[in-house]
Amino acid sequence: MEDKTKDTILKWIKNNITYIYFTLAIIFILYSNSTFSCFSVEWNKVIEKIGFISLTSGVFAGVLKSIQFTGLFKEELNKVISGSELLNNRKDLPELWKKISKIIYTQKFPEISDMIEDRILESYLQTKKNHYNEDIIISINIHELTDDLVISYCQTMEYTAILDSENNQSFFNFTSSLTDDKDLEEINQLISLQIDGKELKDSIIPEKTQTADKSTYSITLPLKGQKKFKIFQKMEKKYSLKGENYKLMRFNTLTKNVDIIVSHPENIEVSFFGIGVVKEYDIVHRDIKNTISRRHRDDIILPKQGFGMSFNKK
């Protein structure tokens, strides 16, 4: 039998399987109860049962084919598999994410797929963070840049921290580093830290970490009891730019809507650049002298992304 003929026969059987079940069922049931049967009573009962089983299978096959044909079965199955209700009840969403992403990345980059999964899940999707920041206003007022490239400025930040809808607690984290130049009296002073208008500066003891060439100060405070918190922070800083005439600022959580205003003296050139952002910052307020204004809208800034500035004397 040629392959083409064989395929045609198999296709016909597949398309008519319901009718085949019914026909066989009727034949088995009628034959086992007719006077033409040449089998014993016991075998006739067996044949009759086979007929009823075939009849039942035919009904099921017919119903299933009808449901599949109308698309109802497929539609309902998709609702179950991809519906948010089912996903919300799963306790293994990080593992599920890894399984899905592994299928995506293993085909393209099998050697680094594990690292890609971990980086996206831990650094960008932030499963361990319970809030994001919104409507950030950053003001940087540069006082001076000396001939020895010592910069001094005041920086303020105000924004709204919005907690995860399913969690009632998160943490405010802030980290600042200085180069620890022994030939310079550096300043890294917290002027004000307010949460919902309450001043907390005098009750905070920053944690200090010392390395061979850097001093790092960090603050951690709980955010709990409500879903939104208004945060205001003001810092006074002075340090050397020798070896790196730039300032980098990376956000440590998901961030939405940012406005940045930088003012500087006449004798300083300041250049602004984004760090890692997909959508670039928009230029606003172009005609204000000695001022840089940038705005970020209609996109999300991910952790480790942010902006930077470079400085030069005129």
Side-chain angles (χ1 to χ4, degrees):
M1 184 182 295
E2 296 182 359
D3 290 340
K4 186 176 181 180
T5 304
K6 183 179 178 181
D7 291 340
T8 302
I9 294 173
L10 292 175
K11 184 177 180 180
W12 181 88
I13 292 174
K14 180 180 178 182
N15 292 334
N16 296 277
I17 189 68
T18 303
Y19 306 107
I20 293 173
Y21 270 120
F22 273 114
T23 303
L24 290 175
I26 296 300
I27 292 173
F28 276 48
I29 293 171
L30 292 178
Y31 181 77
S32 62
N33 289 282
S34 70
T35 58
F36 300 103
S37 176
C38 59
F39 297 103
S40 64
V41 175
E42 288 77 12
W43 275 106
N44 281 331
K45 290 182 179 180
V46 172
I47 294 172
E48 184 182 39
K49 288 181 179 179
I50 294 174
F52 280 115
I53 291 172
S54 298
L55 182 62
T56 305
S57 301
V59 172
F60 176 76
V63 173
L64 183 61
K65 188 175 183 64
S66 175
I67 293 174
Q68 187 177 17
F69 177 77
T70 60
L72 179 61
F73 180 76
K74 181 179 179 181
E75 181 181 346
E76 292 304 315
L77 185 61
N78 282 335
K79 287 180 181 179
V80 172
I81 293 176
S82 60
S84 58
E85 184 176 352
L86 176 65
L87 293 176
N88 286 337
N89 291 328
R90 293 192 66 140
K91 305 301 181 184
D92 62 339
L93 288 180
E95 290 74 19
L96 180 62
W97 162 265
K98 286 191 174 184
K99 290 178 182 177
I100 295 173
S101 60
K102 185 178 289 293
I103 295 173
I104 297 173
Y105 294 116
T106 300
Q107 296 176 357
K108 286 181 171 288
F109 314 112
E111 297 84 0
I112 60 172
S113 62
D114 288 339
M115 288 186 283
I116 293 174
E117 294 156 17
D118 291 338
R119 176 60 65 212
I120 293 175
L121 186 63
E122 295 175 9
S123 297
Y124 296 127
L125 294 186
Q126 287 209 301
T127 55
K128 296 180 181 178
K129 282 266 189 177
N130 290 333
H131 77 274
Y132 72 92
N133 295 333
E134 185 175 64
D135 298 333
I136 296 184
I137 301 175
I138 300 172
S139 175
I140 300 173
N141 183 17
I142 301 172
H143 305 313
E144 182 183 19
L145 180 63
T146 68
D147 293 336
D148 294 331
L149 294 181
V150 175
I151 190 170
S152 58
Y153 62 88
C154 178
Q155 175 179 298
T156 64
M157 291 179 60
E158 50 185 310
Y159 57 91
T160 302
I162 302 177
L163 267 61
D164 177 355
S165 60
E166 296 184 357
N167 290 279
N168 293 318
Q169 178 169 317
S170 190
F171 291 92
F172 163 85
N173 299 108
F174 171 76
T175 301
S176 179
S177 298
L178 291 179
T179 57
D180 201 23
D181 188 339
K182 293 180 173 53
D183 297 326
L184 174 66
E185 184 180 351
E186 297 183 318
I187 297 174
N188 192 28
Q189 184 179 0
L190 178 65
I191 304 299
S192 177
L193 178 58
Q194 301 175 22
I195 297 181
D196 288 336
K198 181 180 179 181
E199 182 60 62
L200 302 173
K201 178 181 72 71
D202 296 332
S203 60
I204 294 173
I205 302 177
E207 181 179 347
K208 181 178 179 181
T209 304
Q210 186 72 46
T211 60
D213 59 351
K214 184 179 291 186
S215 296
T216 302
Y217 301 83
S218 61
I219 297 171
T220 301
L221 294 173
L223 301 174
K224 59 182 179 180
Q226 58 195 58
K227 292 301 180 183
K228 293 184 179 182
F229 295 85
K230 289 285 188 180
I231 296 176
F232 174 84
Q233 181 181 354
K234 185 175 182 179
M235 298 282 298
E236 193 76 39
K237 304 192 74 169
K238 177 182 178 183
Y239 56 91
S240 175
L241 291 174
K242 284 185 178 179
E244 47 180 45
N245 67 327
Y246 55 83
K247 167 183 169 60
L248 304 180
M249 185 168 183
R250 294 186 174 92
F251 299 108
N252 62 11
T253 189
L254 293 169
T255 300
K256 176 185 176 185
N257 297 343
V258 178
D259 286 277
I260 303 163
I261 302 172
V262 182
S263 61
H264 56 87
E266 180 74 30
N267 64 337
I268 301 176
E269 291 181 346
V270 181
S271 297
F272 182 97
F273 54 91
I275 300 177
V277 291
V278 176
K279 181 183 182 297
E280 293 296 332
Y281 294 86
D282 296 321
I283 301 175
V284 293
H285 308 309
R286 298 171 181 267
D287 299 328
I288 301 178
K289 190 176 181 180
N290 301 329
T291 300
I292 292 176
S293 294
R294 296 292 186 272
R295 175 172 294 167
H296 195 276
R297 294 289 190 279
D298 303 321
D299 201 2
I300 295 294
I301 299 178
L302 301 175
K304 314 299 182 185
Q305 297 178 348
F307 66 92
M309 295 175 291
S310 61
F311 311 96
N312 285 295
K313 293 276 288 186
K314 287 185 179 179

